[in-house]
Amino acid sequence: MKKCLYICSLIITSCATINIDSRKHHVAHAFGGISTTMKDLAKIGRLYMNKGLWNGKRIVSEEWIKQSTDYNTDNDGYHFNWYNTSWMTEKPEYPGFYAHGIRAQVLYVNPYKHLIMVRFGKRDDTYAFIPYMFELLSNCKAF
C-alpha cells in the first residue's frame, strides 16, 4: 500500500482518495476505489502509455505494465484491473486497453496512437458502450 501511495503522490496533484478494505491492514479495495479528477486519471493513463515511466523516471516496472495490459482473450480481456480490447472485435491493428469504473467512468489508453481518453459520468445506462466507442475512434484513419 505504501508503494501505491508513493506512486500516486508523484503523479496526482489534486486531492484523491483510495478506498481500503481494512483499516487494520490498509489494503486497497481489490476492485478499485480510486476517486480523483479527470486530469489526474489521465495522468495514470500517461504513466501506462509510457510503460511505467513518469517524466523519464521509472516508477512502475515495464513488466507489470505489459502483464496488466497485454492483448489476451482470456477472462474477456480482463486482468490486473485493466481490460484489453481483445473481446470487442477481431484484433485491431492498433489495440488499446482501458479501466472501467462504476457509473461508466472510463480511462482508455492507446499507446500505438499515443492517445488517452477519459469519460466521467453519473449513469451507466448510456446507449453506447464507451470503451468500444473509444476503441473505434482511436482506430479511425484520422488518428
Side-chain angles (χ1 to χ4, degrees), residues 4 8 31-32 42 49 54 61 64 67-68 92 96 101 110 123 132 139:
C4 178
C8 287
F31 57 85
M49 185 171 58
W54 187 258
S61 78
W64 175 260
Q67 285 181 8
S68 60
N110 191 312
R123 300 171 58 146
Y132 180 66
N139 280 280

Side-chain angles (χ1 to χ4, degrees), residues 36 42 55 61 63 71 74 78 84 97-98 106 109 115 117 127 137-138 142:
T36 188
N55 293 332
S61 78
E63 182 59 28
Y71 195 87
D74 295 340
Y78 176 79
N84 61 59
F97 54 88
Y98 64 97
V106 175
V109 179
L115 182 64
M117 292 187 247
Y127 293 104
L137 285 170
S138 72

Side-chain angles (χ1 to χ4, degrees), residues 44-110:
I44 294 170
R46 180 176 147 204
L47 175 68
Y48 270 73
M49 185 171 58
N50 292 325
K51 299 179 180 167
L53 292 175
W54 187 258
N55 293 332
K57 181 180 178 184
R58 167 95 30 224
I59 61 172
V60 177
S61 78
E62 188 171 354
E63 182 59 28
W64 175 260
I65 302 294
K66 184 177 179 345
Q67 285 181 8
S68 60
T69 62
D70 200 18
Y71 195 87
N72 188 327
T73 57
D74 295 340
N75 200 26
D76 292 329
Y78 176 79
H79 48 289
F80 300 129
N81 295 315
W82 290 94
Y83 292 87
N84 61 59
T85 58
S86 62
W87 63 272
M88 292 182 184
T89 60
E90 290 185 32
K91 187 174 181 180
E93 187 175 359
Y94 303 107
F97 54 88
Y98 64 97
H100 193 257
I102 61 169
R103 306 293 183 237
Q105 283 86 354
V106 175
L107 168 57
Y108 174 88
V109 179
N110 191 312

